[in-house]
Amino acid sequence: MSDIKEFLSALQKTNPERTNVIHSEEIIPFAKEVKELLLIDFLHPEFDEEEVKKRYLKVEKDLSSLLAKEDVEKFMNSLPEIRELLIGSAQAIYDGDPASTSIAEIVITYPGFQAISAYRIAHLLYQMKYYLFSRIISEYAHHLYGIDINPGATIGKRFFIDHGTGIVIGETAVIGDNVKLYQGVTLGALSLKKGHDLQGVKRHPTVLDDVTIYSNASIFGGDTIIGSQTTIGANTYITKSVPNNTIVYLNEQGMTTQKKDYTK
């Protein structure tokens, strides 16, 4: 039999603190439980008050094996706010997508909404510094829906993802209210040559309220701010701030910027 001592030594050197990753297999089912509770009136329309209580207590119990006691209470008390944010996104998608036939259709089938749901749950855990758990949830959603939202990103109300495949939103991105993103949009960082030394530094753009960003637009940099009421056209590449009430688009001459004309 071969000598196992060298392998055991390598394990100790690689992970001396023995970071607990056993819970990873529990996190995905837990996230699904939370989503089922938050959206029970759409996912289980036959529900009654007793069913809600049962599911609520189950989530609370399962959470107690994952989080510190004080964080369990904080998480559970945040559920009404998360529910409100999710319904706001579903309504925004319904209002903005003529192909949608009902809020229920969006909640049950739209991949953009599924990714937003996972993000809201993961972000709450991220805020409580459960970084591994939050990342497990976000990467699972990334795998399922092709939409990569880092749980550290800050995203406002009535967030609307249309289609969604290929969207990337970085950890320090800040997104305001009533923002709409199409497929392939990247809110990314510029050169990361300093690597881990940039941890905690704002590396990703800020997108203010009422902005629409069309497919495959790429916006980079922690100092880059997209002003409110702005429209970013498809396939644009932006590394500098854009003023409020602006249209940025590509034409035969390259990228063009103009102020919106509200008189038309």
Short mmCIF file of all heavy atoms in Angstrom, two decimals, residues 153-207:
data_model
loop_
_atom_site.label_atom_id
_atom_site.label_comp_id
_atom_site.label_asym_id
_atom_site.label_seq_id
_atom_site.Cartn_x
_atom_site.Cartn_y
_atom_site.Cartn_z
N ALA A 153 -22.99 42.30 -5.31
CA ALA A 153 -23.52 43.45 -6.06
C ALA A 153 -24.70 44.06 -5.31
O ALA A 153 -25.44 43.37 -4.61
CB ALA A 153 -23.94 43.02 -7.46
N THR A 154 -24.86 45.36 -5.48
CA THR A 154 -25.98 46.09 -4.85
C THR A 154 -26.97 46.47 -5.94
O THR A 154 -26.63 47.20 -6.86
CB THR A 154 -25.47 47.35 -4.14
OG1 THR A 154 -24.51 46.98 -3.15
CG2 THR A 154 -26.61 48.09 -3.46
N ILE A 155 -28.20 45.96 -5.83
CA ILE A 155 -29.19 46.13 -6.90
C ILE A 155 -30.48 46.67 -6.31
O ILE A 155 -31.00 46.15 -5.32
CB ILE A 155 -29.45 44.80 -7.63
CG1 ILE A 155 -28.14 44.28 -8.24
CG2 ILE A 155 -30.50 44.98 -8.72
CD1 ILE A 155 -28.25 42.93 -8.92
N GLY A 156 -31.03 47.71 -6.94
CA GLY A 156 -32.22 48.39 -6.45
C GLY A 156 -33.53 47.71 -6.82
O GLY A 156 -33.56 46.54 -7.23
N LYS A 157 -34.60 48.47 -6.70
CA LYS A 157 -35.96 47.95 -6.90
C LYS A 157 -36.30 47.82 -8.38
O LYS A 157 -35.72 48.47 -9.23
CB LYS A 157 -36.97 48.89 -6.23
CG LYS A 157 -36.76 49.07 -4.74
CD LYS A 157 -37.71 50.11 -4.18
CE LYS A 157 -37.45 50.36 -2.70
NZ LYS A 157 -38.33 51.43 -2.16
N ARG A 158 -37.26 46.98 -8.66
CA ARG A 158 -37.83 46.79 -10.01
C ARG A 158 -36.73 46.49 -11.04
O ARG A 158 -36.75 46.96 -12.15
CB ARG A 158 -38.66 48.00 -10.42
CG ARG A 158 -39.95 48.15 -9.63
CD ARG A 158 -40.72 49.42 -10.02
NE ARG A 158 -41.07 49.41 -11.43
CZ ARG A 158 -42.15 48.84 -11.95
NH1 ARG A 158 -42.99 48.19 -11.17
NH2 ARG A 158 -42.40 48.90 -13.24
N PHE A 159 -35.79 45.64 -10.64
CA PHE A 159 -34.72 45.23 -11.53
C PHE A 159 -35.27 44.27 -12.58
O PHE A 159 -35.99 43.33 -12.25
CB PHE A 159 -33.62 44.55 -10.72
CG PHE A 159 -32.42 44.12 -11.49
CD1 PHE A 159 -31.81 44.97 -12.40
CD2 PHE A 159 -31.87 42.85 -11.29
CE1 PHE A 159 -30.68 44.58 -13.11
CE2 PHE A 159 -30.75 42.44 -11.99
CZ PHE A 159 -30.16 43.30 -12.90
N PHE A 160 -34.94 44.51 -13.84
CA PHE A 160 -35.53 43.80 -14.97
C PHE A 160 -34.42 43.20 -15.81
O PHE A 160 -33.60 43.93 -16.37
CB PHE A 160 -36.38 44.80 -15.77
CG PHE A 160 -37.10 44.26 -16.98
CD1 PHE A 160 -38.02 45.07 -17.64
CD2 PHE A 160 -36.90 42.99 -17.48
CE1 PHE A 160 -38.72 44.62 -18.76
CE2 PHE A 160 -37.58 42.51 -18.59
CZ PHE A 160 -38.49 43.34 -19.23
N ILE A 161 -34.37 41.88 -15.89
CA ILE A 161 -33.47 41.18 -16.82
C ILE A 161 -34.32 40.60 -17.94
O ILE A 161 -35.23 39.82 -17.69
CB ILE A 161 -32.69 40.06 -16.10
CG1 ILE A 161 -31.65 40.66 -15.15
CG2 ILE A 161 -32.01 39.16 -17.12
CD1 ILE A 161 -30.90 39.61 -14.35
N ASP A 162 -34.03 41.00 -19.17
CA ASP A 162 -34.77 40.48 -20.32
C ASP A 162 -33.90 39.47 -21.06
O ASP A 162 -32.77 39.76 -21.43
CB ASP A 162 -35.15 41.63 -21.26
CG ASP A 162 -36.31 41.27 -22.18
OD1 ASP A 162 -36.66 40.08 -22.25
OD2 ASP A 162 -36.87 42.17 -22.82
N HIS A 163 -34.42 38.28 -21.27
CA HIS A 163 -33.66 37.14 -21.84
C HIS A 163 -32.55 36.72 -20.86
O HIS A 163 -32.69 35.72 -20.19
CB HIS A 163 -33.12 37.46 -23.23
CG HIS A 163 -34.20 37.85 -24.19
ND1 HIS A 163 -35.19 36.98 -24.59
CD2 HIS A 163 -34.45 39.04 -24.80
CE1 HIS A 163 -36.01 37.60 -25.41
NE2 HIS A 163 -35.59 38.85 -25.56
N GLY A 164 -31.46 37.45 -20.83
CA GLY A 164 -30.53 37.30 -19.73
C GLY A 164 -29.28 36.49 -19.99
O GLY A 164 -28.27 36.70 -19.33
N THR A 165 -29.29 35.57 -20.93
CA THR A 165 -28.15 34.68 -21.11
C THR A 165 -26.86 35.48 -21.31
O THR A 165 -26.79 36.39 -22.12
CB THR A 165 -28.36 33.78 -22.34
OG1 THR A 165 -29.58 33.07 -22.17
CG2 THR A 165 -27.23 32.80 -22.49
N GLY A 166 -25.84 35.15 -20.53
CA GLY A 166 -24.54 35.78 -20.69
C GLY A 166 -24.33 37.05 -19.90
O GLY A 166 -23.25 37.65 -19.97
N ILE A 167 -25.31 37.49 -19.13
CA ILE A 167 -25.13 38.68 -18.29
C ILE A 167 -24.11 38.39 -17.19
O ILE A 167 -24.12 37.32 -16.58
CB ILE A 167 -26.48 39.13 -17.68
CG1 ILE A 167 -27.31 39.86 -18.73
CG2 ILE A 167 -26.27 40.01 -16.45
CD1 ILE A 167 -28.68 40.28 -18.26
N VAL A 168 -23.21 39.36 -16.94
CA VAL A 168 -22.24 39.27 -15.85
C VAL A 168 -22.30 40.57 -15.06
O VAL A 168 -22.15 41.66 -15.62
CB VAL A 168 -20.80 39.06 -16.39
CG1 VAL A 168 -19.80 39.06 -15.23
CG2 VAL A 168 -20.71 37.77 -17.18
N ILE A 169 -22.53 40.45 -13.75
CA ILE A 169 -22.58 41.60 -12.85
C ILE A 169 -21.58 41.36 -11.73
O ILE A 169 -21.72 40.42 -10.94
CB ILE A 169 -23.99 41.82 -12.28
CG1 ILE A 169 -25.00 42.04 -13.41
CG2 ILE A 169 -24.00 42.99 -11.31
CD1 ILE A 169 -26.44 42.10 -12.94
N GLY A 170 -20.55 42.21 -11.64
CA GLY A 170 -19.47 42.00 -10.69
C GLY A 170 -19.82 42.36 -9.26
O GLY A 170 -20.82 43.01 -8.97
N GLU A 171 -18.94 41.96 -8.36
CA GLU A 171 -19.17 42.06 -6.91
C GLU A 171 -19.46 43.48 -6.44
O GLU A 171 -20.32 43.69 -5.57
CB GLU A 171 -17.96 41.51 -6.17
CG GLU A 171 -18.09 41.58 -4.65
CD GLU A 171 -16.80 41.26 -3.93
OE1 GLU A 171 -15.71 41.50 -4.51
OE2 GLU A 171 -16.87 40.78 -2.79
N THR A 172 -18.74 44.47 -6.95
CA THR A 172 -18.88 45.83 -6.42
C THR A 172 -19.75 46.71 -7.32
O THR A 172 -19.77 47.93 -7.15
CB THR A 172 -17.50 46.48 -6.22
OG1 THR A 172 -16.83 46.58 -7.49
CG2 THR A 172 -16.65 45.67 -5.25
N ALA A 173 -20.44 46.09 -8.28
CA ALA A 173 -21.38 46.87 -9.11
C ALA A 173 -22.52 47.40 -8.24
O ALA A 173 -22.96 46.75 -7.29
CB ALA A 173 -21.94 45.99 -10.22
N VAL A 174 -22.98 48.60 -8.59
CA VAL A 174 -24.12 49.21 -7.92
C VAL A 174 -25.15 49.55 -8.99
O VAL A 174 -24.83 50.25 -9.95
CB VAL A 174 -23.72 50.48 -7.14
CG1 VAL A 174 -24.95 51.15 -6.52
CG2 VAL A 174 -22.70 50.14 -6.06
N ILE A 175 -26.36 49.05 -8.82
CA ILE A 175 -27.43 49.25 -9.80
C ILE A 175 -28.61 49.91 -9.10
O ILE A 175 -29.05 49.42 -8.05
CB ILE A 175 -27.85 47.91 -10.44
CG1 ILE A 175 -26.67 47.28 -11.19
CG2 ILE A 175 -29.04 48.10 -11.37
CD1 ILE A 175 -26.95 45.90 -11.73
N GLY A 176 -29.12 50.99 -9.66
CA GLY A 176 -30.23 51.73 -9.05
C GLY A 176 -31.58 51.08 -9.32
O GLY A 176 -31.68 49.91 -9.67
N ASP A 177 -32.63 51.87 -9.18
CA ASP A 177 -34.00 51.39 -9.38
C ASP A 177 -34.40 51.44 -10.85
O ASP A 177 -33.90 52.28 -11.61
CB ASP A 177 -34.98 52.25 -8.57
CG ASP A 177 -34.74 52.16 -7.07
OD1 ASP A 177 -34.12 51.19 -6.62
OD2 ASP A 177 -35.17 53.09 -6.35
N ASN A 178 -35.29 50.55 -11.23
CA ASN A 178 -35.88 50.57 -12.58
C ASN A 178 -34.85 50.43 -13.68
O ASN A 178 -34.92 51.10 -14.71
CB ASN A 178 -36.69 51.85 -12.79
CG ASN A 178 -37.78 52.02 -11.76
OD1 ASN A 178 -38.61 51.15 -11.56
ND2 ASN A 178 -37.75 53.16 -11.07
N VAL A 179 -33.88 49.56 -13.46
CA VAL A 179 -32.83 49.31 -14.46
C VAL A 179 -33.17 48.03 -15.23
O VAL A 179 -33.61 47.04 -14.65
CB VAL A 179 -31.45 49.20 -13.79
CG1 VAL A 179 -30.40 48.71 -14.79
CG2 VAL A 179 -31.05 50.54 -13.19
N LYS A 180 -32.95 48.09 -16.54
CA LYS A 180 -33.27 46.95 -17.42
C LYS A 180 -32.02 46.54 -18.18
O LYS A 180 -31.38 47.36 -18.83
CB LYS A 180 -34.37 47.36 -18.41
CG LYS A 180 -34.81 46.26 -19.37
CD LYS A 180 -35.97 46.76 -20.24
CE LYS A 180 -36.51 45.69 -21.15
NZ LYS A 180 -37.66 46.19 -21.97
N LEU A 181 -31.67 45.24 -18.08
CA LEU A 181 -30.52 44.69 -18.78
C LEU A 181 -30.96 43.62 -19.76
O LEU A 181 -31.80 42.78 -19.43
CB LEU A 181 -29.52 44.06 -17.80
CG LEU A 181 -28.98 44.89 -16.65
CD1 LEU A 181 -27.93 44.09 -15.89
CD2 LEU A 181 -28.41 46.21 -17.13
N TYR A 182 -30.37 43.64 -20.95
CA TYR A 182 -30.61 42.60 -21.94
C TYR A 182 -29.44 41.59 -21.92
O TYR A 182 -28.43 41.79 -21.24
CB TYR A 182 -30.76 43.20 -23.33
CG TYR A 182 -32.11 43.85 -23.56
CD1 TYR A 182 -32.36 45.15 -23.14
CD2 TYR A 182 -33.14 43.16 -24.18
CE1 TYR A 182 -33.60 45.74 -23.34
CE2 TYR A 182 -34.38 43.74 -24.38
CZ TYR A 182 -34.61 45.03 -23.96
OH TYR A 182 -35.84 45.61 -24.16
N GLN A 183 -29.58 40.54 -22.69
CA GLN A 183 -28.62 39.45 -22.70
C GLN A 183 -27.22 39.94 -23.06
O GLN A 183 -27.03 40.85 -23.83
CB GLN A 183 -29.06 38.35 -23.68
CG GLN A 183 -29.04 38.74 -25.15
CD GLN A 183 -30.33 39.37 -25.61
OE1 GLN A 183 -31.14 39.85 -24.83
NE2 GLN A 183 -30.53 39.37 -26.93
N GLY A 184 -26.24 39.28 -22.44
CA GLY A 184 -24.84 39.54 -22.79
C GLY A 184 -24.23 40.78 -22.19
O GLY A 184 -23.06 41.08 -22.46
N VAL A 185 -24.96 41.52 -21.37
CA VAL A 185 -24.41 42.73 -20.75
C VAL A 185 -23.36 42.35 -19.70
O VAL A 185 -23.56 41.42 -18.91
CB VAL A 185 -25.52 43.58 -20.10
CG1 VAL A 185 -24.94 44.66 -19.19
CG2 VAL A 185 -26.40 44.20 -21.17
N THR A 186 -22.25 43.09 -19.69
CA THR A 186 -21.22 42.90 -18.68
C THR A 186 -21.03 44.18 -17.89
O THR A 186 -20.81 45.25 -18.47
CB THR A 186 -19.88 42.50 -19.32
OG1 THR A 186 -20.02 41.25 -19.98
CG2 THR A 186 -18.78 42.40 -18.27
N LEU A 187 -21.13 44.09 -16.58
CA LEU A 187 -20.74 45.17 -15.67
C LEU A 187 -19.49 44.67 -14.95
O LEU A 187 -19.57 44.00 -13.92
CB LEU A 187 -21.86 45.50 -14.69
CG LEU A 187 -23.20 45.91 -15.31
CD1 LEU A 187 -24.24 46.22 -14.22
CD2 LEU A 187 -23.04 47.11 -16.24
N GLY A 188 -18.34 44.95 -15.55
CA GLY A 188 -17.11 44.31 -15.12
C GLY A 188 -16.06 45.25 -14.60
O GLY A 188 -16.24 46.46 -14.50
N ALA A 189 -14.91 44.66 -14.27
CA ALA A 189 -13.76 45.40 -13.77
C ALA A 189 -12.74 45.59 -14.88
O ALA A 189 -12.66 44.78 -15.81
CB ALA A 189 -13.12 44.66 -12.60
N LEU A 190 -11.95 46.66 -14.75
CA LEU A 190 -10.81 46.84 -15.65
C LEU A 190 -9.68 45.92 -15.20
O LEU A 190 -9.90 45.00 -14.42
CB LEU A 190 -10.38 48.31 -15.63
CG LEU A 190 -11.37 49.28 -16.31
CD1 LEU A 190 -11.03 50.72 -15.98
CD2 LEU A 190 -11.36 49.05 -17.82
N SER A 191 -8.48 46.14 -15.66
CA SER A 191 -7.36 45.25 -15.37
C SER A 191 -7.27 44.89 -13.89
O SER A 191 -7.37 45.75 -13.02
CB SER A 191 -6.05 45.91 -15.81
OG SER A 191 -4.95 45.15 -15.40
N LEU A 192 -7.11 43.60 -13.61
CA LEU A 192 -7.01 43.13 -12.23
C LEU A 192 -5.59 42.63 -11.93
O LEU A 192 -5.40 41.64 -11.23
CB LEU A 192 -8.02 42.01 -11.98
CG LEU A 192 -9.50 42.41 -12.15
CD1 LEU A 192 -10.39 41.21 -11.94
CD2 LEU A 192 -9.86 43.52 -11.17
N LYS A 193 -4.58 43.34 -12.44
CA LYS A 193 -3.19 42.91 -12.27
C LYS A 193 -2.80 42.85 -10.80
O LYS A 193 -1.93 42.07 -10.42
CB LYS A 193 -2.27 43.86 -13.03
CG LYS A 193 -2.40 43.74 -14.56
CD LYS A 193 -1.46 44.70 -15.26
CE LYS A 193 -1.60 44.59 -16.78
NZ LYS A 193 -0.72 45.55 -17.48
N LYS A 194 -3.44 43.69 -9.96
CA LYS A 194 -3.11 43.69 -8.54
C LYS A 194 -3.79 42.55 -7.79
O LYS A 194 -3.56 42.34 -6.61
CB LYS A 194 -3.48 45.03 -7.91
CG LYS A 194 -2.67 46.19 -8.44
CD LYS A 194 -3.04 47.49 -7.73
CE LYS A 194 -2.22 48.66 -8.27
NZ LYS A 194 -2.60 49.93 -7.60
N GLY A 195 -4.66 41.83 -8.50
CA GLY A 195 -5.27 40.64 -7.94
C GLY A 195 -5.98 40.86 -6.62
O GLY A 195 -6.79 41.77 -6.47
N HIS A 196 -5.62 40.04 -5.64
CA HIS A 196 -6.34 40.04 -4.37
C HIS A 196 -6.12 41.31 -3.57
O HIS A 196 -6.87 41.60 -2.63
CB HIS A 196 -5.90 38.81 -3.54
CG HIS A 196 -6.99 38.31 -2.65
ND1 HIS A 196 -7.05 38.61 -1.30
CD2 HIS A 196 -8.08 37.55 -2.91
CE1 HIS A 196 -8.11 38.04 -0.77
NE2 HIS A 196 -8.76 37.40 -1.72
N ASP A 197 -5.12 42.10 -3.93
CA ASP A 197 -4.91 43.39 -3.26
C ASP A 197 -6.08 44.33 -3.51
O ASP A 197 -6.25 45.32 -2.79
CB ASP A 197 -3.63 44.05 -3.75
CG ASP A 197 -2.38 43.31 -3.28
OD1 ASP A 197 -2.50 42.55 -2.29
OD2 ASP A 197 -1.31 43.50 -3.88
N LEU A 198 -6.89 44.05 -4.51
CA LEU A 198 -8.04 44.90 -4.83
C LEU A 198 -9.30 44.51 -4.06
O LEU A 198 -10.36 45.11 -4.25
CB LEU A 198 -8.34 44.83 -6.33
CG LEU A 198 -7.28 45.45 -7.25
CD1 LEU A 198 -7.61 45.16 -8.70
CD2 LEU A 198 -7.17 46.94 -7.02
N GLN A 199 -9.19 43.51 -3.20
CA GLN A 199 -10.36 43.11 -2.41
C GLN A 199 -10.87 44.29 -1.59
O GLN A 199 -10.12 44.98 -0.91
CB GLN A 199 -10.02 41.96 -1.48
CG GLN A 199 -11.23 41.39 -0.76
CD GLN A 199 -10.87 40.17 0.08
OE1 GLN A 199 -9.84 40.17 0.74
NE2 GLN A 199 -11.71 39.16 0.05
N GLY A 200 -12.18 44.56 -1.68
CA GLY A 200 -12.78 45.68 -0.97
C GLY A 200 -12.76 46.99 -1.74
O GLY A 200 -13.41 47.96 -1.33
N VAL A 201 -12.03 47.03 -2.85
CA VAL A 201 -11.97 48.23 -3.69
C VAL A 201 -13.11 48.17 -4.71
O VAL A 201 -13.40 47.11 -5.27
CB VAL A 201 -10.62 48.32 -4.41
CG1 VAL A 201 -10.60 49.53 -5.36
CG2 VAL A 201 -9.49 48.42 -3.39
N LYS A 202 -13.76 49.31 -4.97
CA LYS A 202 -14.83 49.31 -5.97
C LYS A 202 -14.22 49.15 -7.35
O LYS A 202 -13.48 50.00 -7.83
CB LYS A 202 -15.67 50.58 -5.90
CG LYS A 202 -16.95 50.47 -6.73
CD LYS A 202 -17.87 51.66 -6.54
CE LYS A 202 -19.20 51.44 -7.26
NZ LYS A 202 -19.13 50.89 -8.60
N ARG A 203 -14.55 48.05 -8.01
CA ARG A 203 -13.95 47.70 -9.29
C ARG A 203 -14.94 47.71 -10.44
O ARG A 203 -14.55 47.64 -11.59
CB ARG A 203 -13.33 46.29 -9.19
CG ARG A 203 -12.42 46.10 -8.01
CD ARG A 203 -11.83 44.71 -7.92
NE ARG A 203 -12.82 43.66 -7.84
CZ ARG A 203 -13.47 43.29 -6.74
NH1 ARG A 203 -13.25 43.94 -5.61
NH2 ARG A 203 -14.32 42.29 -6.76
N HIS A 204 -16.23 47.75 -10.11
CA HIS A 204 -17.28 47.58 -11.12
C HIS A 204 -18.14 48.84 -11.19
O HIS A 204 -18.21 49.63 -10.24
CB HIS A 204 -18.13 46.36 -10.77
CG HIS A 204 -17.32 45.11 -10.60
ND1 HIS A 204 -16.84 44.69 -9.38
CD2 HIS A 204 -16.90 44.19 -11.51
CE1 HIS A 204 -16.15 43.58 -9.53
NE2 HIS A 204 -16.17 43.25 -10.81
N PRO A 205 -18.85 49.04 -12.30
CA PRO A 205 -19.55 50.30 -12.54
C PRO A 205 -20.74 50.54 -11.61
O PRO A 205 -21.26 49.62 -10.97
CB PRO A 205 -20.04 50.17 -13.99
CG PRO A 205 -19.31 49.03 -14.56
CD PRO A 205 -18.95 48.12 -13.45
N THR A 206 -21.18 51.78 -11.61
CA THR A 206 -22.43 52.20 -10.97
C THR A 206 -23.42 52.57 -12.08
O THR A 206 -23.08 53.33 -12.99
CB THR A 206 -22.22 53.40 -10.05
OG1 THR A 206 -21.36 53.01 -8.97
CG2 THR A 206 -23.54 53.91 -9.49
N VAL A 207 -24.62 52.03 -12.00
CA VAL A 207 -25.68 52.31 -12.97
C VAL A 207 -26.82 52.97 -12.19
O VAL A 207 -27.41 52.34 -11.30
CB VAL A 207 -26.17 51.02 -13.67
CG1 VAL A 207 -27.30 51.34 -14.64
CG2 VAL A 207 -25.01 50.34 -14.38
#
